[in-house]
């Protein structure tokens, strides 16, 4: 199969558009004169690139041949494909073409990026991958009717939840940012105020400004989420999830259920209060080698009631969702001490600054710290937990943005127990459950009592062994 | 549980002693120039190398690993204690590495790779060359035996 001919035009413009704008900006005439031959060369190269680019499915493999001067031949076994991205930016949508990224574990995605396919061609590639997978399964287990199974089944449609999702998802960050602005506002007022009245006046004014500013940022963030998740829908074709979202740029993809490494339920504190949750799935697919944050985490359900999200999670991974157990109370004490210590340090700093002109009114910041330290540590502690079920581990962490991971035992890659220097004073340890993928942050059961940490680690390893043999 | 080759302890002690002595002398010169109290200077020159030797001895003592039936266990760390379990099923590949100094002393380090993202840390330094090669073979065999059609992901 060939790429769309339109990609010659679009790739040329994408590579040289900026050069043209730059030249035209310096001198329109020279710009055009210089640009035209450049355009011809670049266009010629893109034409050759297109001519030399060829991809096809053969015997369960996707083969991609490319290269004008150096020839590349890429061979990807279809069963090793983790997931697929289908991206259509605004320009691609005008041309009705799509970029298809094929992701393997540990692979370099730029090599398996089909730029660009006609929209119906992209659909064909997705279909081919579905079929190949199904055919393989049919061979191995003499499966039933593939035809009716390939009919899509509605899994999720965002509908009216879009507004709620957009408003809720960015709220904790905005509140934290707002709190930071307020602290800065009080600090700044303290530097300029010479009397209590001035202090009150300045800080009120600046706090209002801070609140308005973070409010505006919050609205901007919510709007961007709204545009990103506009018309989000997921279909399920047999065991492949296919999703698409976006108002201006369309982002979609295919995610085979069997490639899911772990599920993630995210509930920030507002969502928890209102009984909502988000469901995400992660594969071992590598997005971008360079970016550490590059992880193939896909949102399956942006917003639904907690019960619905857990029901789906249970269904997808055949996971049991058990009651989460808290970590030992020593950790709570550790957090309380940490916050008190932090408040003391800030108190000392602020007090020192009052001698060089800072208004004592600013002392309200560390004093508030002392007041909320106990409550803050309770909340932090209460939102950390784990549970070991029959087939999977659940790990929960975070107050502002609580994440609960469900990791099937057979996905474990290795287990790491760490006692940091700060933990050792309290006889605590953290267990990290490493799964395949490019993700740096792995599920962790933090601040367990040391003996328990090693016991849990050994239990996890036993369960892993049971699951795999 | 198996310890590392004794030679690596001496390398660690030697190299940290060197760094400790440099830091100690710099601090000593500074102390002498500002405070001019000879006993204090002597003490300050002495502390960093002493600490670094202590650290290296402790580092060697805390480093041990075990080749179990179904997994590799690695323990190390002085300030931050780390304990790792690597199931053989998950091993993608194993390599041994020998720098110039290691080659001179007949040492090698072994690195085990899995598809997990923390895998970069799974390195056993300071093995005798024979032991490293033997382990590489052994682990490779164990990884293949345990595989049974899994792709390790």
């Amino acid at each position: 199969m060939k790429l769309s001919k339109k990609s010659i035009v679009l790739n040329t413009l994408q590579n040289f558009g900026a050069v043209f704008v730059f030249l035209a900006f310096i001198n329109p005439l020279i710009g055009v004169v210089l640009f035209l031959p450049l355009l011809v060369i670049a266009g010629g190269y893109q034409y050759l690139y297109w001519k030399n680019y060829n991809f096809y499915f053969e015997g369960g493999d996707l083969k991609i041949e490319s290269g004008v001067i150096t020839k590349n031949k890429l061979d990807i076994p279809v069963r090793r494909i983790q997931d697929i991205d289908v991206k259509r930016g605004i320009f691609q949508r005008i041309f009705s073409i799509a970029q298809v990224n094929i992701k393997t574990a540990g692979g370099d995605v730029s090599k398996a990026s089909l730029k660009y396919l006609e929209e119906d061609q992209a659909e064909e590639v997705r279909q081919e991958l579905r079929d190949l997978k199904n055919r393989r399964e049919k061979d191995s287990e003499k499966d039933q009717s593939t035809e009716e199974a390939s009919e899509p089944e509605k899994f999720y449609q965002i509908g009216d939840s879009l507004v709620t999702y957009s408003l809720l998802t960015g709220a904790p960050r905005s509140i934290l940012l707002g709190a930071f602005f307020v602290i800065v506002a009080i600090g700044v007022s303290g530097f300029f105020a010479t009397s209590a009245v001035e202090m009150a006046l300045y800080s009120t004014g600046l706090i209002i400004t801070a609140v308005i500013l973070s409010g505006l940022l919050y609205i901007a963030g919510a709007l961007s989420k709204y545009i990103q998740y506009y018309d989000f829908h997921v279909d399920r074709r047999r065991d492949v999830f296919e999703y698409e979202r976006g108002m201006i740029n369309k982002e979609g993809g295919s995610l085979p259920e069997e490639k899911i490494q772990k599920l993630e339920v995210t509930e920030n504190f507002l969502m928890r209060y209102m009984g909502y949750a988000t469901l995400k799935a992660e594969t071992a697919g590598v997005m971008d080698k360079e970016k550490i944050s590059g992880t193939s985490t896909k949102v399956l359900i942006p917003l639904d009631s907690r019960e619905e999200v857990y029901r789906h999670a249970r269904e997808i991974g055949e996971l049991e969702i058990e009651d989460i157990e808290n970590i030992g109370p020593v950790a709570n004490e550790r957090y309380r001490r940490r916050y008190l210590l932090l408040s003391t340090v800030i108190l000392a700093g602020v007090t020192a600054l009052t001698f060089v002109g800072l208004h004592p009114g600013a002392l309200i910041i560390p004093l508030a710290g002392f007041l909320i330290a106990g409550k803050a540590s309770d909340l932090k502690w209460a939102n950390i937990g784990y549970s070991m079920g029959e087939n999977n581990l659940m790990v929960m962490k975070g107050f502002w943005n609580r994440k609960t991971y469900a990791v099937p035992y057979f996905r474990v890659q290795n287990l790491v127990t760490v006692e940091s220097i700060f933990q050792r004073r309290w006889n605590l340890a953290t267990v990290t459950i490493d799964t395949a993928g490019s993700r740096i942050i792995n599920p962790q059961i933090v601040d367990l009592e040391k003996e328990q940490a090693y016991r849990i680690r050994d239990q996890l390893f036993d369960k892993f062994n049971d699951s795999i043999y | 549980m198996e310890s590392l080759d004794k030679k690596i302890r001496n390398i660690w002690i030697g190299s940290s002693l060197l760094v400790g002595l440099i830091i100690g002398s710099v601090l000593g010169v500074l102390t002498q120039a500002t405070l001019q109290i000879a006993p204090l200077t002597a003490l300050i020159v002495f502390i960093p190398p002493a600490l670094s030797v202590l650290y290296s001895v402790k580092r060697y003592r805390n480093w041990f690993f075990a080749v179990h039936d179904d997994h590799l266990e690695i323990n190390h760390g002085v300030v931050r204690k780390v304990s790792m379990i690597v199931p053989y099923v998950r091993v993608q590949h194993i390599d041994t590495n020998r720098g110039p100094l290691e080659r001179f002393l007949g040492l090698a380090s072994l690195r085990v790779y899995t598809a997990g993202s923390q895998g970069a840390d799974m390195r056993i330094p300071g093995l005798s060359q024979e032991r490293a090669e033997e382990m590489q073979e052994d682990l490779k065999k164990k990884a293949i035996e345990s595989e049974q059609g899994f792709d390790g992901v």
Side-chain angles (χ1 to χ4, degrees), chain B residues 79-150:
Chain B
V79 178
R80 184 173 178 270
K81 285 196 174 177
V82 178
S83 171
M84 281 183 272
I85 281 184
V86 190
Y88 298 133
V89 202
R90 293 311 196 201
V91 172
Q92 297 280 332
H93 62 277
I94 305 142
D95 65 27
T96 52
N97 215 302
R98 302 171 68 213
L101 186 63
E102 285 174 311
R103 231 162 35 212
F104 179 71
L105 293 162
L107 292 177
S109 51
L110 185 94
R111 200 184 274 269
V112 180
Y113 295 85
T114 68
S117 42
Q118 303 223 322
D121 297 336
M122 290 180 300
R123 179 172 165 267
I124 307 179
L127 293 167
S128 71
Q129 200 194 319
E130 304 81 62
R131 181 63 183 132
E133 274 164 17
E134 183 193 7
M135 266 181 80
Q136 187 177 16
E137 274 309 302
D138 188 25
L139 292 179
K140 197 173 75 189
K141 215 185 294 160
K142 283 180 157 143
I144 293 167
E145 274 169 15
S146 62
E147 199 183 31
Q148 300 176 333
F150 296 110

Side-chain angles (χ1 to χ4, degrees), chain A residues 80 261 284 410-419 421 424 434 436-437 439 442 457 461 464-465 468-469, chain B residues 70-71 78-85 87 89-90 114-119 122 146 148 150-153:
Chain A
R80 290 289 168 96
Q261 291 280 332
F410 68 89
R411 293 296 190 191
V412 170
Q413 285 286 333
N414 43 70
L415 297 162
V416 185
T417 314
V418 173
E419 300 165 48
I421 185 159
R424 281 169 69 188
D434 199 354
R439 192 158 187 151
N442 277 302
R457 199 256 321 248
F461 182 61
F464 162 77
N465 267 340
I468 207 151
Y469 295 117
Chain B
D70 51 5
H71 68 281
V78 179
V79 178
R80 184 173 178 270
K81 285 196 174 177
V82 178
S83 171
M84 281 183 272
I85 281 184
V89 202
R90 293 311 196 201
T114 68
S117 42
Q118 303 223 322
M122 290 180 300
S146 62
Q148 300 176 333
F150 296 110
D151 64 357
V153 178

Side-chain angles (χ1 to χ4, degrees), chain B residues 19-105:
Chain B
V19 176
L21 280 172
I22 292 168
I23 295 172
S25 349
V26 170
L27 289 177
V29 167
L30 287 174
T31 323
Q32 188 60 23
T34 50
L35 299 170
Q36 291 172 339
I37 311 166
L40 187 69
T41 306
L43 192 72
I44 281 176
V45 172
F46 177 72
I47 288 173
L51 280 181
S52 46
V53 168
L54 215 67
Y55 175 83
S56 297
V57 171
K58 201 97 170 92
R59 182 178 172 200
Y60 176 78
R61 220 180 272 159
N62 286 359
W63 233 115
F64 45 90
F65 63 93
V67 182
H68 295 289
D69 288 344
D70 51 5
H71 68 281
L72 178 68
E73 185 186 344
I74 302 174
N75 297 287
H76 64 90
V78 179
V79 178
R80 184 173 178 270
K81 285 196 174 177
V82 178
S83 171
M84 281 183 272
I85 281 184
V86 190
Y88 298 133
V89 202
R90 293 311 196 201
V91 172
Q92 297 280 332
H93 62 277
I94 305 142
D95 65 27
T96 52
N97 215 302
R98 302 171 68 213
L101 186 63
E102 285 174 311
R103 231 162 35 212
F104 179 71
L105 293 162

